[in-house]
Amino acid sequence: MDVPTVTVAAGVRLRPLVPEDAGALCDAYVRNREHLRRWEPVRAARFHTPEGQADRIRDQLAQQAEGRLAAWVLDDGERIVGTATLNSIVLGPLRSASLGYWIDGGLTGRGLATAATLAVLGIADERLGLHRVEASTHVANTASQRVLAKCGFERIGLAPRYLHINGEWADHVLFQHILNDRRPPG
């Protein structure tokens, strides 16, 4: 799958995840451990090591090669400052994927999540030929809910005890963005 690089803000680009990102991605997760704690699952100690990130990257790139995932990092030229993924890509009559992203805690509120999400939506529509992208947020993550609203997502429901986050089953707000009404190929 061809995953392009896109400039999303002055000095920040959304670029494809590569195996060489393991150390920098580990640094980003360690630096943002407290910032992300409320919104992520409890992670094994290995997750916060270069080896753990190398394993994760290998898995994501294998899924990408199969057309089931597209993965990017946000890079400010010095370090990784976030990630974005399209997970669970399904073609056929559904043509849908799930969006995930996070931004470095020191850079929130600057429009990076919005710019990265808009770039990923453009790629999902124009390059991947998807019809729809879905996303979910922890009910308390109002900042992420605002990002999704700015990017044209509509709220479609509430999923009780949807994901195991920060040590407990947490309710999530569900969103979708309809990209187009093109007919699926074939």
Side-chain angles (χ1 to χ4, degrees):
M1 174 182 306
D2 178 31
V3 178
T5 297
V6 179
T7 298
V8 296
V12 179
R13 62 191 181 138
L14 182 75
R15 65 166 177 77
L17 177 68
V18 295
E20 294 77 22
D21 287 328
L25 196 52
C26 172
D27 291 345
Y29 275 110
V30 168
R31 189 175 63 249
N32 285 279
R33 191 178 223 158
E34 286 307 311
H35 167 63
L36 296 173
R37 184 179 309 278
R38 291 180 61 198
W39 318 124
E40 294 219 333
V42 173
R43 305 287 193 182
R46 184 171 169 79
F47 181 89
H48 292 97
T49 67
E51 298 78 19
Q53 288 304 310
D55 291 346
R56 219 171 138 251
I57 290 169
R58 268 191 300 281
D59 181 57
Q60 287 183 320
L61 294 178
Q63 289 181 57
Q64 190 163 294
E66 296 169 356
R68 297 184 294 127
L69 180 135
W72 297 266
V73 294
L74 284 131
D75 178 340
D76 71 0
E78 296 179 20
R79 61 189 186 161
I80 291 174
V81 297
T83 68
T85 56
L86 286 173
N87 299 290
S88 306
I89 297 172
V90 178
L91 298 179
L94 181 59
R95 307 201 74 74
S96 184
S98 294
L99 172 69
Y101 60 85
W102 66 268
I103 300 296
D104 189 284
L107 299 175
T108 59
R110 298 182 187 186
L112 288 178
T114 299
T117 297
L118 289 171
V120 169
L121 290 173
I123 294 164
D125 182 11
E126 298 159 18
R127 304 285 284 271
L128 303 180
L130 299 181
H131 162 69
R132 171 185 178 277
V133 174
E134 64 184 43
S136 67
T137 71
H138 189 288
V139 291
N141 194 344
T142 56
S144 193
Q145 292 165 27
R146 283 192 303 273
V147 166
L148 295 173
K150 284 186 223 174
C151 293
F153 281 78
E154 62 181 315
R155 182 181 167 148
I156 57 171
L158 178 70
R161 298 174 309 281
Y162 185 62
L163 292 172
H164 200 260
I165 299 296
N166 195 21
E168 64 184 32
W169 289 104
D171 297 351
H172 279 64
V173 182
L174 305 178
F175 295 86
Q176 73 174 3
H177 187 295
I178 302 299
L179 299 168
N180 60 67
D181 286 323
R182 291 187 304 264
R183 292 180 62 130

